[in-house]
């Protein structure tokens, strides 16, 4: 699947354009398959294509954080727009997810 | 702004694929108000939360009807989302941030908190086995610094 890529111990997930409950179900299932099946230490959520996200997105990220944290891993987010940043802050997610700023 | 009134009502089955349908429908209906991208995203997020609640919590594994009404009254938008599902036992508890009855589905418990944050007012009416009605209002055209000074 193109949206999921494993590079060494990193699982990179390309988030969909609209991240709602409907889309969250599949991401959760797929991500866990990788996390459980391969040696994953870092989960990187890429929001480059994402223009909409509701609290279902928070659930997906929080769920993966809980899984990976037990294994000593970390959760990162890239290409985070102002809108998504605000949603992160509103839900406290910015405390557990490391936002990697875009390079110039 | 000239005073205008407009109203719409749609009903749809409680399939998760209809969450995006609901958001897009409301956004299209509100076009005539000329909202900012931010205002539109706020309303879309709140609608998505309310509709998702009806689908997951109201109906669970059953398929039922979700009703969405939207009203424009001058510069105010009123959105009502209702279902005839199982209802809410304790509304106060349900509205607490991070509280969820479905941790198994990885619900973050932030649905009502998001509706409150992104809209100006939120009213929830529900009783066990009597469905749920969520009514939210938001004024369009409020300067950003007035709206968000308490948030960021």
């Amino acid at each position: 699947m193109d949206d999921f890529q494993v590079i060494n111990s990193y699982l990179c997930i390309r988030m969909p354009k609209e991240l709602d409950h409907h889309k969250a179900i599949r991401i959760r299932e797929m991500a866990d398959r990788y996390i459980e099946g391969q040696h994953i230490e870092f989960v990187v959520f890429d929001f480059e294509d994402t223009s909409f996200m509701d609290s279902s997105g928070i659930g997906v990220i929080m769920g993966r954080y809980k899984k990976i944290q037990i294994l000593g891993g970390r959760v990162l987010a890239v290409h985070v727009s102002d809108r998504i940043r605000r949603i992160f802050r509103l839900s406290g997610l910015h405390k557990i997810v490391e936002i990697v700023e875009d390079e110039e | 702004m000239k005073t205008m009134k407009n109203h719409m009502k749609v009903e749809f089955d409680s399939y998760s694929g209809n969450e995006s349908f609901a958001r897009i429908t409301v956004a299209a209906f509100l076009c005539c108000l000329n909202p900012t991208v931010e205002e539109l995203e706020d309303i879309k997020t709140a609608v998505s939360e309310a509709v998702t609640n009806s689908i997951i919590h109201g109906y669970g594994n059953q398929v039922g009807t979700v009703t969405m009404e939207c009203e424009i009254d001058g510069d105010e938008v009123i959105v009502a989302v209702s279902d005839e599902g199982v209802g809410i036992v304790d509304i106060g508890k349900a509205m607490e941030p991070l509280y969820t009855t479905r941790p198994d589905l990885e619900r973050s418990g932030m649905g009502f908190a998001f509706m409150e944050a992104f809209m100006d007012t939120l009213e929830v009416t529900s009783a066990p086995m009597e469905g749920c009605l969520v009514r939210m209002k938001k004024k369009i055209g409020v300067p950003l610094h007035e709206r968000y000074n308490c948030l960021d």
Side-chain angles (χ1 to χ4, degrees):
Chain A
M1 197 60 68
D2 299 346
D3 300 340
F4 294 80
Q5 240 190 331
V6 176
I7 305 162
N8 299 321
S9 60
Y10 285 79
L11 169 64
C12 302
I13 305 172
R14 211 177 167 90
M15 299 303 251
K17 192 169 182 300
E18 306 232 325
L19 177 52
D20 59 5
H21 155 245
H22 182 68
K23 286 281 167 59
I25 304 167
R26 187 184 151 270
I27 297 168
R28 187 177 79 200
E29 283 172 6
M30 290 291 291
D32 285 354
R33 211 174 296 170
Y34 282 100
I35 292 170
E36 283 153 21
Q38 306 191 35
H39 185 68
I40 302 295
E41 275 183 84
F42 303 93
V43 180
V44 183
F45 292 100
D46 185 344
F47 289 95
E48 181 152 35
D49 302 331
T50 307
S51 55
F52 177 87
M53 175 170 121
D54 65 15
S55 72
S56 306
I58 303 297
V60 170
I61 299 166
M62 211 109 91
R64 306 295 72 65
Y65 168 77
K66 284 180 188 161
K67 265 204 150 79
I68 207 92
Q69 181 222 23
I70 300 169
L71 311 165
R74 289 202 336 255
V75 170
L76 303 107
V78 295
H79 299 121
V80 180
S81 66
D82 290 346
R83 174 89 197 164
I84 290 170
R85 209 176 285 263
R86 200 172 141 226
I87 288 175
F88 274 23
R89 215 164 9 192
L90 208 57
S91 55
L93 212 61
H94 61 295
K95 291 176 190 157
I96 59 169
V97 176
E98 194 178 316
I99 297 175
V100 181
E101 301 300 337
D102 297 354
E103 279 175 37
E104 288 297 307
Chain B
M1 191 178 288
K2 68 172 188 287
T3 305
M4 66 167 288
K5 273 182 180 273
N6 198 4
H7 171 258
M8 68 94 159
K9 181 175 178 175
V10 286
E11 286 184 355
F12 49 89
D13 286 342
S14 60
Y15 295 119
S16 62
N18 283 334
E19 290 154 8
S20 60
F21 165 76
R23 291 195 297 270
I24 293 163
T25 305
V26 165
F29 182 70
L30 297 178
C31 256
C32 58
L33 277 177
N34 218 357
T36 63
V37 174
E38 196 68 23
E39 287 167 338
L40 209 51
E41 286 301 312
D42 285 356
I43 295 171
K44 277 167 72 182
T45 308
V47 164
S48 198
E49 300 296 349
V51 168
T52 304
N53 271 356
S54 285
I55 292 172
I56 294 178
H57 302 287
Y59 293 116
N61 295 324
Q62 319 271 54
V63 177
T65 303
V66 179
T67 306
M68 180 175 73
E69 276 188 79
C70 189
E71 204 181 310
I72 295 169
D73 187 359
D75 58 354
E76 190 163 55
V77 174
I78 302 135
V79 187
V81 176
S82 60
D83 63 68
E84 285 155 19
V86 297
I88 301 171
V89 178
D90 186 341
I91 296 177
K93 192 109 192 124
M95 290 179 75
E96 278 175 20
L98 302 175
Y99 175 81
T100 180
T101 53
R102 299 304 301 267
D104 54 317
L105 297 177
E106 288 192 346
R107 304 310 304 161
S108 63
M110 292 301 290
F112 282 126
F114 274 29
M115 290 181 233
E116 263 180 330
F118 292 128
M119 303 295 278
D120 296 340
T121 65
L122 166 68
E123 268 173 51
V124 184
T125 314
S126 183
M129 301 321 292
E130 286 177 23
C132 181
L133 163 69
V134 170
R135 238 173 95 84
M136 309 177 274
K137 293 183 187 178
K138 188 182 183 75
K139 268 203 196 310
I140 296 300
V142 176
L144 270 187
H145 64 274
E146 281 179 29
R147 173 154 280 149
Y148 296 131
N149 57 1
C150 54
L151 257 185
D152 293 316

